[in-house]
Amino acid sequence: MKLTWFLEHPALRRAVMLSFVLAFGAFLIMPLITLLLWAFADRWFFPNLVPQVWGFKWWGWILENTDITKAAKWSFMIAPTVTLLSAVICLPAAYAFARFEFPFKRFLYVALLASNAFPKLGLYIAIAALFFQFRLIGTFWGVVLVQLINTLVTMTWIPAAGFSSVPRELEEAARDLGASPLRVFFAVTLPIAMPGVIVAMILVFLGSLDEAQATLLIGAPNIITMPVQMYTLVGNYPEPVGAIFSILLTIPSLVLLVLARKFLVSGYLAAGFK
Amino acid sequence: MLGLLLVLPPIFVLILLVLYPALEALRFSLGFVPADNPAYASGLDLVNSDTGSLEVFKKLFASSFFSSNLALTLRVSFVSVALLVLVSYPLALFARFGRGRLAGVARVLYLLPMFVPVVIATYALITFFGDNGWLEAILGTVGIPYHSVIRQEAGIVLGHVWVGVPFAVLMLSSGLDGISNECLEAARDQGANAWVVFWRILLPLNIVPLLIVMTFSFIGVFGSYTVPYMLGPSAPQMLGVSMALNFGAFRQPQQAVAMAVVSFVFCAFAGALYVWSTTRGRKS
Amino acid sequence: MSQINFIDVSKFYAGKPAVDKLNLEIKSGEFVSLLGPSGCGKTTSLRMLAGFLEPDAGDIQLAGKSVLGLGAEVRPTAMVFQRYTLFPHMNIFHNVAFGLKLRKLEAQKIRDRVARILELVGLPDFEKRYPAQLSGGQQQRIALARALVVEPQVLLLDEPLSSLDARLRVNLREEIKAIQRQLGITTVFVTHDQEEALAVSDRIAVMNEGVLQQYAAPDELYARPATLFAAQFIGSMNLISGRIAGGWLEAGAFRIPVPNLEAQSITLAVRPEDLEFAIAHQLALDNVSAKLEGVTELGHYRSLRVKTGQSNLTVFAARGATPEAASDARLWLRRALVYAGDKLLTELIAEPHGKIEVI
């Protein structure tokens, strides 16, 4: 009998699939639920299954802690800056890759992609050394620049896929009706390609909010963003602090997820990695 | 030519922030110490050479710390990628072919880690899987002994699988979406059972996304910091953690940079394969 | 023997019947077409026969034995799909050999059979090529070869020609028919193209909204469509609503004596070639004054738009005959079908002696 005999029986196949998905779901969700429990625990000693004392004691503490509010401020200054800067730098290139023929196109395309093929921490260290030289360590712009690297591929490839999905016939029809090339771009091409651009911007924004390794290396000691703060919180403070902080840090992601779910399902996510 | 002009800004960023520092680091690791770069020039135990030397690498490979770190890094990278594929492929298949509510749940579920910052994911894994964590408490009520995987090699692997699932499943299932139903039905019609359809049709037709998942994840795990820092043992360490320590706390930038060069060499093959398969996948 | 029987087969989608109590008998060696508009249940029926779908009710039998519960991989049927049907990562040899390898034939035997079947579909020496290098028509020939090479008892064709251009479609359908004759293989052909079905089939099953409308040979189907749907779907048909009262049928401008028929509302259905637009004619049920509104040249014949009373009718005329736009021209009716409700009630034919025969 073959190893996969269960695949041939629909009921068994279903049962195997069901248990696999349930096990996987537990693996993904249980850690997050643990965090949720901790966030509302005033006291929880092992081996109790649930906290002995529920409460909001630590929430007040966190919201009054200036280190943490400062970290939130840095996070929400850096993420939009990185997103906008990346958009300004990459979107024209995305359009060019989608619509123009030019020398070395393929080579440049591959080169851009190759930035993904570096083991990240080694690269950050090399950059850190360079930033020492240019006094960018511990500065806002130093952090913005190092985070920019990880956005190049996302901000070029996803919008490029969006731009090339715009039928040329539509652009030609608009030209035919008397619109100038610039008008065509803003009235026809951009609106149709917008989902791709939005998905790219969301991914870049989230990526910047979540970035910890490079930010720690370049930003410390002046620029401590929320995820970097997490490194020091863990171990130095009781569990509820880390848990509450985690929830606060996940909220922007979840809000964006809900706002953007219309675009996220449309297949652009995968396009960004291809 | 307008196209070339529009493409220049990201390329410029690439040269300035990737290529130039990488080359500088390579030169530094070969003994060319740039006097005008305080981060490099003020390091301890510098090897200084005007003609270039492999002294730094010799010392590195002679160190037992480094070789056990490298061995750990390679082990964790391979095991993480293998496990990731083993978990992600069934999910991708289920996302593509599954019917009903369960498939709908699975299709949303696997995206979850994408929206949880890595630091938080690792922290959540500690609170659940760690010593005196929730899992231990739950298993304790039914009398199953539990030994924590956190601060072990297995902890790093666990973290990377958790974090890596969305990308892997997304990539694989989007590849599977591109395979026509007719093609699969034709195979079944010819007498192929589910197993044969998987090995002879699905797998070969979806090989490029699989390669992308494997190479991209390998590079990611190899150069990771947060996951091993939070979930791994204090010794031996993954190269990323060791690099950061050498660069910062130990003030040995040359060793750190040499490790970076070594890790790039180890990832070069995966990197080349990644770039090749990605551009190939894009073309078709 | 490979006779196929659909027995009271039903299939529901979201509570609605996609196929509704289908009863169909396909004889061994017969070429049968399932014909109808999209959503009529023809593809669903084919897929139930192939084993990709299970019926919700009824039975499907092959050579007298039920095939329900057997997956597509074990049924002795082979299918040619509409498109994307070849395995893109295998060359032509491996595509065609796929099923033979699964049946664990020896390598030499596989090579021989693949070579023979490629010869049969007219594409020898294509073994090394990949599907992407083939034209649409060639791909479908290979798909046919792949289906035939496993020597199935039943060949299933799911609109295999619909993605090809018109000329190729005609050529390939002739070839498929020739190969089918040569092999004598029972064949079920799904199409929405009535001309295609008429050209190749031994019998045609016309379906609409999951219900079998008529199951007949092409000439019978064309001459006497059993339902109003079939009448409209097969060929062109002029439909004039009217009624029978007091032994007379009145529809539009036409008035025909029908002494034996009871009074009721009817629809008069007339083929464009059963009308003649001329000054005078010998054989006719009835003639009315008519006006020519337009002419469309269709190559070997022309289509006239003719107005009579309130009705606009289509009339086919030979290429040579120049219809007169004269005001006294008349429209002559040679043959007509009468439908009561949806069903065919009777056929009216003008007899040589000017008498009307009511069948």
Side-chain angles (χ1 to χ4, degrees), chain A residues 151-171:
Chain A
T151 69
L152 292 181
V153 176
T154 313
M155 201 52 120
T156 311
W157 284 45
I158 300 182
F163 283 127
S164 45
S165 74
V166 179
R168 259 171 215 275
E169 290 83 350
L170 278 184
E171 294 178 343

Side-chain angles (χ1 to χ4, degrees), chain A residues 49 121 129-130 133 231 239, chain B residues 20 36 40 123 134 226 240 274:
Chain A
L49 272 186
L121 210 82
L130 188 75
Q133 195 176 347
Y231 284 122
E239 274 91 348
Chain B
Y20 176 63
D36 57 345
Y40 285 160
Y123 186 56
W134 205 29
T226 306
Y274 164 75

